[in-house]
Amino acid sequence: MFLHSVNLWNLAFYVFMVFLATLGLWDVFFGFEENKCSMSYMFEYPEYQKIELPKKLTKRYPAYELYLYGEGSYAEEHKILPLTGIPVLFLPGNAGSYKQVRSIGSIALRKAEDIDFKYHFDFFSVNFNEELVALYGGSLQKQTKFVHECIKAILKLYKGQEFPPTSVAIIGHSMGGLVARALLTLKNFKQDLINLLVTQATPHVAPVMPLDRFITEFYMTVNNYWILNARHINLTTLSVAGGFRDYQVRSGLTFLPTLSHHTSALSVVTSAVPKTWVSTDHLSIVWCKQLQLTTIRAFFDLIDADTKQITQKSKKKLSVLNHHFIRHPAKQFEENPSIISDLTGTSMWVPVKVSRWSYVAYNESDKIYFAFPLANHRKVYTHAYCQSTMLDTNSWIFGCINSTSMCFFKRASETKVALCLYRYFQSLTLRLQDYPSLSHIVVYVPSVHGSKFVVDCEFFKKEARSIQLPVTHLFSFGLSSRKAIINTSGRYYNIELLNLGQIYQAFKVNVVSKCTGGKEEITSIYKLHIPWSYEDSLTIAQVPSSVDISLKLHVAQPENDSHVALLKMYTSSDCQYEVTIKTSFPQILGQVVRFHGGALPAYVVSSILLAYGGQLYSLLSTGFCLEYGTMLDKEAKPYKVDPFVIMIKFLLGYKWFKELWDAVLLPELDAIVLTSQSMCFPLVSLILFLFGTCTAYWSGLLSSASVQLLSSLWLALKRPAELPKDVKVMSPDLPVLTVVFLIISWTTCGALAILLSYLYYVFKVVHLQASLTTFKNNQPVNPKHSRRSEKKSNHHKDSAIQNPRLSANDAEDSLRMHSTVINLLTWVVLLSMPSLIYWSKNLRYYFKLNPDPCKPLAFLLIPAIAVLGNTHTVSIKSSKLLKTASQFPLPLAVGVIAFGSSHLYRVPCFVIIPLVFHSLCNFM
């Protein structure tokens, strides 16, 4: 019956929208590189020693615990307190386990063994009972206060030490990182208790799914505090994102606010971290060996040799983090590196005067210094570039002043040394005009035995190695492309990707390499460099080859930023490279889903509300209720919603309208929130509305089919009575049942009461469907007659009867209306489920959910559902409120998009209003 109400063209449209949505979802969940993280293993059995906390604290937080991680002999030694190491506290995230500390804790222990425990770290972990804090924000404040108590308890374990720590370092995964930032908002918290904060895949900007107001309020409190007090916050903070593999927390949410007066915060994507160069998913970021090794190296470099604790110097902490996570110079970190290196001795010195030079070393017995005089090169070239495969050599290139026997060793920050790829080669690019005092560049080749490596150097003009390649238009749909051909004789090229800066742009870059000459294996590396954020990525290719590179952004280009995205190509000589770029439509859909997929429920509910209003109006105007699918096609139109939202956003730009808006205490428009995050694009709302209408259609089909199936099962088990002869809105058991549901909501969990009332409503509808089926099966075949004329003739009679009789046609009308209401209520129940799941999981600790985001909703929704479960269209046709009830869904559909797309917890509030008016139609 449901499918018959939709014509074939509309059905084809809905199928097509499913296809487009599938393309977007595929790009989000599967359109990324394979997992290249190495697993971190424990060499000894991991042990978790529970730290005894004061009884007063355990009574206040019965579900939370504090543990000390250890392995083997280390774990045995530290069962007897006090401790002697450097405290690090690990905070798990949403549904995270305290045992996730084992990866980084084990690697730190192995590193400490390598240096004979000159320094070592003690890793603590908090057990948050795997709470779903990303879905229910009511416990975030509680977790924050418990962590504060844990920090104080940890520091007490170091009493009697020569240099007892006065602060701890914190590593926070997912929501654990946000809890760590929230510590600073506590009234009695001292900022000095934290010396370093590292967050992994933490959504700092906004919640992934704002399903209750407590999460949103918590975010507002934390972010407002950090922004308003940025000048006074000296806490060095590093935020690490997982990249496109992490589809649970998109990397754009992990970037800390970049303020001119807050320079102690760094944000980076794992694919851009030197010696890591991989994308991680939301869980593997905790155990990814490459990343954990980088983190531990940084931690050991942060140790102050005098106090044997993490340094208190902010500049050093930032310098170490930059060294390991931003620009690694392929050498160990030195706080004060020597700038003079004595290169005298018996080593061989070889002058090199050519502009392009290559050297292959194998079984060299003598050290060799290759000196490049710069006097002549400065007149012709602007840059010098060198690359080396000597991975075991830290210092391999020097700058000399007027002498080849005494050289200034140039530091990484001065020469812009970068470890291009740890497994393949080190590279350096030097702009000659930045070093006017240098007379020579010297490349050092050590004596080697049995190993082969290659050193290449060249001088070039920047203009000759830079190629501008504009990206294709967003709406070219991959039908057109832009191409650049490089007949290379050099080692390094820059492709400037013009007009790339929006998150909705997505491209497929194809690099085809063709080489002539030798048959030996040649490696080329292509690096996408995004200058306004640390989200670079590398692609390695063996030439000749054809390689596809995905090009899309985590963070949009700031308005005041004029940098250009680059494709840096570390090429091979005597090869030709053809670079082709074209728009990738599936990846554009993936970006829409990635950045706005969380708003889809708001658009679904908006479409259902429009269809619901159309059904109420058809009941008012014609006396019968049209099919849900027909009304969805007729009423769910983008032009009924989007223009109003755009108009309101435009008017809010005027001061008088903004003052009027604030005077009536209206919340901030969600479109303005998206604009502040560089996520507002006019067509996105249209695309989401179409996706929402499509989802509303298929969810309606599913709910209708479910009612049919359940009624069939009911008939198989028990044959129900025939259609009720009298329509009674208030059955004897209705007040009692309503009170019971309200008591359940008050004493336990509001979402539980909503679910029970929803099941009661579904039961009533299934019973009605089964009764109608029984009635039709028992009726003889009647001649055809006009149903519409029958409805019209009975319309006036029904209003005069106090308890009208329910006919088969009235029952069908009622079922059509109930089907739409079930569809609406299903989304309300789904949006309230997180708090129910949280409550059920913590039932052994708390019988009553507090705070409860669904309790106010339940007290309004339960009576309305109870009345609607006994409502039939025949009883509301003559209601004076029916006209008002039919007019409400349209403005409410606009309100859902305006205020609920970024605040999903508001969506059920817009659903309650028409349902309450619908239920009141039975009495007025």
Side-chain angles (χ1 to χ4, degrees), residues 222-371:
V222 174
N223 286 333
N224 288 343
Y225 181 89
W226 277 66
I227 292 174
L228 296 175
N229 298 277
R231 297 182 184 276
H232 310 291
I233 295 177
N234 296 320
L235 175 60
T236 303
T237 307
L238 171 69
S239 176
V240 183
F244 288 110
R245 280 193 60 84
D246 189 351
Y247 52 78
Q248 296 183 47
V249 176
R250 60 178 179 85
S251 297
L253 291 176
T254 67
F255 278 68
L256 293 161
T258 53
L259 305 175
S260 58
H261 48 275
H262 189 198
T263 58
S264 58
L266 292 174
S267 301
V268 63
V269 180
T270 53
S271 59
V273 175
K275 295 192 176 183
T276 301
W277 302 121
V278 295
S279 177
T280 63
D281 59 50
H282 196 62
L283 292 179
S284 66
I285 197 171
V286 175
W287 54 257
C288 182
K289 186 176 181 180
Q290 295 95 312
L291 180 62
Q292 302 310 323
L293 283 171
T294 300
T295 305
I296 290 303
R297 292 189 196 103
F299 270 51
F300 274 88
D301 284 342
L302 286 166
I303 298 174
D304 188 324
D306 296 328
T307 63
K308 296 185 178 181
Q309 296 293 326
I310 290 180
T311 181
Q312 298 297 324
K313 300 176 184 177
S314 297
K315 288 185 178 180
K316 180 180 178 181
K317 285 188 279 191
L318 203 62
S319 178
V320 170
L321 294 179
N322 266 290
H323 176 93
H324 288 281
F325 288 90
I326 305 298
R327 186 177 294 280
H328 198 293
K331 63 188 295 294
Q332 293 182 352
F333 174 80
E334 296 176 278
E335 186 175 3
N336 297 303
S338 59
I339 62 171
I340 297 180
S341 298
D342 187 2
L343 303 184
T344 58
T346 58
S347 303
M348 183 185 305
W349 283 79
V350 178
V352 180
K353 297 182 179 180
V354 296
S355 61
R356 186 178 293 111
W357 168 84
S358 181
Y359 182 79
V360 180
Y362 186 76
N363 282 337
E364 295 288 343
S365 58
D366 297 325
K367 301 177 182 178
I368 307 175
Y369 292 99
F370 293 95

Side-chain angles (χ1 to χ4, degrees), residues 171-191:
I171 299 176
H173 173 240
S174 188
M175 294 298 287
L178 186 70
V179 169
R181 288 180 64 216
L183 286 168
L184 275 63
T185 65
L186 298 178
K187 291 182 179 179
N188 300 322
F189 185 80
K190 297 179 181 178
Q191 187 183 139

Side-chain angles (χ1 to χ4, degrees), residues 19 58 87 117 149 153 226 257 344 433 485 490 517 530 694 701 752 780 858:
F19 171 72
T58 55
F117 284 93
E149 299 297 332
W226 277 66
T344 58
Q433 69 179 35
I485 297 177
I530 310 301
C694 173
L701 177 61
L752 174 62

Side-chain angles (χ1 to χ4, degrees), residues 644-837:
F644 293 98
V645 178
I646 295 172
M647 188 183 302
I648 294 172
K649 181 185 175 184
F650 173 76
L651 291 174
L652 283 172
Y654 293 95
K655 185 177 179 181
W656 65 269
F657 190 82
K658 183 67 168 66
E659 291 176 350
L660 180 63
W661 185 274
D662 295 336
V664 295
L665 303 178
L666 288 172
E668 189 175 23
L669 200 68
D670 282 358
I672 295 179
V673 176
L674 295 177
T675 301
S676 66
Q677 300 176 12
S678 301
M679 289 171 53
C680 196
F681 184 60
L683 286 181
V684 167
S685 183
L686 174 62
I687 295 172
L688 288 175
F689 194 94
L690 296 177
F691 283 166
T693 305
C694 173
T695 307
Y697 168 78
W698 292 111
S699 65
L701 177 61
L702 180 62
S703 64
S704 179
S706 299
V707 169
Q708 292 279 358
L709 177 61
L710 291 174
S711 67
S712 300
L713 293 175
W714 177 261
L715 288 173
L717 297 174
K718 179 181 179 182
R719 184 170 296 277
E722 294 184 358
L723 292 174
K725 296 180 179 180
D726 295 327
V727 178
K728 296 180 180 180
V729 176
M730 295 296 292
S731 59
D733 62 334
L734 185 59
V736 176
L737 199 61
T738 303
V739 171
V740 170
F741 287 156
L742 291 175
I743 292 174
I744 291 174
S745 173
W746 180 262
T747 57
T748 58
C749 173
L752 174 62
I754 291 174
L755 177 62
L756 293 176
S757 60
Y758 169 76
L759 294 176
Y760 164 78
Y761 183 83
V762 172
F763 168 76
K764 296 290 288 186
V765 176
V766 170
H767 188 273
L768 179 61
Q769 176 68 59
S771 299
L772 179 61
T773 303
T774 302
F775 176 80
K776 287 184 176 180
N777 292 337
N778 293 335
Q779 290 297 312
V781 179
N782 295 322
K784 295 182 178 179
H785 61 275
S786 173
R787 179 179 179 276
R788 178 172 298 189
S789 60
E790 180 186 342
K791 295 286 293 183
K792 288 184 177 179
S793 64
N794 292 333
H795 178 64
H796 299 288
K797 296 179 181 179
D798 292 339
S799 61
I801 302 175
Q802 186 176 2
N803 290 321
R805 182 184 180 90
L806 188 67
S807 66
N809 292 331
D810 292 327
E812 289 181 354
D813 272 355
S814 299
L815 283 172
R816 293 188 185 98
M817 185 64 72
H818 285 313
S819 177
T820 305
V821 174
I822 285 179
N823 205 1
L824 271 177
L825 291 177
T826 300
W827 287 95
V828 172
V829 171
L830 288 176
L831 292 173
S832 63
M833 276 297 98
S835 60
L836 176 61
I837 296 172

Side-chain angles (χ1 to χ4, degrees), residues 8 196 461 492 537 597 605 768 852:
L8 292 178
L196 177 68
K461 269 190 175 182
Y492 174 77
S537 61
V605 171
L768 179 61
D852 189 347

